[in-house]
């Protein structure tokens, strides 16, 4: 079965403003995110990508644009199932305003039970994304062979849920996984089991440098802004 390259979109204006973007329209890459996207073709230059699949949201479309320009023979496929979690009434709100909501504790500690008001559950998000991956695995293998490599550009929580699925981790443990903006995660699927061969690789260790205010013990909902 194929190898899947998961790319989280580059840093967005919502990331830097501390907003939970969800499906809010008009959320674009910021200056750093644009630079991250521009570097993506070079980082993936050695990989013979068979297909490129993307979330329909603007920040993902902007992230893969330089890659598509570098590989004009590829046409992107849009799949809503790998779009961001539908955060419903929480979409577009400041994360600082949401941190004291009782639901946020559930999102952190028991995400399989978390359902956003007016939106969807985190369990439903994982299910739709995993179904999309399995269908694309079969399609890519059929069209390009079992050794093919293809790419999906998606979002932090979606990618974390797919990593959990690949590792056989309960969704309640997925908040222990971290994927920064424009990071690369690779999962090689086989008949019997998936293998996680890269996780959140940015090639940049800046985010590991000690900070004046160390990160807390809560996972950033939506994925966070990455290195300062």
């Amino acid at each position: 079965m194929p190898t899947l390259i998961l790319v989280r979109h580059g840093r967005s204006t919502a990331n830097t403003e501390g907003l939970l973007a969800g499906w809010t329209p008009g959320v674009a890459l910021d200056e750093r995110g644009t630079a991250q996207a521009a570097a993506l073709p070079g980082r993936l230059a050695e990989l013979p990508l068979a297909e490129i699949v993307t979330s329909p949201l603007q920040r993902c479309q902007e992230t893969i644009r330089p890659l598509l320009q570098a590989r004009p023979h590829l046409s992107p496929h849009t799949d809503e199932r790998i779009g961001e979690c539908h955060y419903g009434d929480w979409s577009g709100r400041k994360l600082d305003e949401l941190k004291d909501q009782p639901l946020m504790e559930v999102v952190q500690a028991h995400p399989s039970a978390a359902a956003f008001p007016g939106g969807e559950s985190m369990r439903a998000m994982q299910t739709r994304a995993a179904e999309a991956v399995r269908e694309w695995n079969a399609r890519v293998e059929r069209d390009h062979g079992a050794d093919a490599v293809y790419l999906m550009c998606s979002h932090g929580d979606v990618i974390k849920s797919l990593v959990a699925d690949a590792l056989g981790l309960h969704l309640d443990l997925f908040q222990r996984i971290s994927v920064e903006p424009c990071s690369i995660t690779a999962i090689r699927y086989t008949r019997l089991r998936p293998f996680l061969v890269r996780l959140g690789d940015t090639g940049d260790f800046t985010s590991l440098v000690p900070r004046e205010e160390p990160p807390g013990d809560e996972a950033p909902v939506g994925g966070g802004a990455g290195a300062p």
Side-chain angles (χ1 to χ4, degrees), residues 81-139:
R81 294 174 296 176
I82 62 168
E84 181 62 285
C85 186
H86 290 275
Y87 296 118
D89 297 344
W90 281 24
S91 298
R93 294 182 61 184
K94 286 274 190 183
L95 286 164
D96 282 347
E97 297 174 358
L98 298 168
K99 65 182 180 181
D100 294 327
Q101 294 284 334
L103 177 59
M104 185 61 84
E105 186 177 9
V106 180
V107 170
Q108 290 292 325
H110 191 18
S112 66
F116 296 95
E120 71 178 334
S121 68
M122 303 200 87
R123 188 175 62 255
M125 173 200 72
Q126 182 188 43
T127 298
R128 62 171 164 83
E131 287 178 350
V133 166
R134 282 163 175 75
E135 289 182 19
W136 276 102
N137 282 348
R139 176 173 173 175

Side-chain angles (χ1 to χ4, degrees), residues 109-179:
H110 191 18
S112 66
F116 296 95
E120 71 178 334
S121 68
M122 303 200 87
R123 188 175 62 255
M125 173 200 72
Q126 182 188 43
T127 298
R128 62 171 164 83
E131 287 178 350
V133 166
R134 282 163 175 75
E135 289 182 19
W136 276 102
N137 282 348
R139 176 173 173 175
V140 170
E141 181 172 4
R142 181 197 67 204
D143 295 344
H144 303 283
D147 295 329
V149 179
Y150 74 107
L151 181 146
M152 283 185 168
C153 185
S154 187
H155 306 264
D157 282 348
V158 175
I159 293 173
K160 287 163 56 178
S161 75
L162 289 171
V163 171
D165 175 76
L167 292 176
L169 291 177
H170 196 283
L171 185 61
D172 287 346
L173 300 178
F174 100 127
Q175 297 290 27
R176 302 183 183 193
I177 299 165
S178 176
V179 289

Side-chain angles (χ1 to χ4, degrees), residues 9-10 27 29 37 52-68 76-80 153-155:
H9 63 79
V27 177
L29 299 183
I52 294 178
V53 187
T54 181
S55 157
L57 295 173
Q58 179 179 338
R59 51 199 183 273
C60 286
Q61 303 276 340
E62 290 179 353
T63 297
I64 64 165
R65 189 172 297 153
L67 185 60
L68 292 169
H77 304 273
T78 299
D79 194 326
E80 291 195 357
C153 185
S154 187
H155 306 264

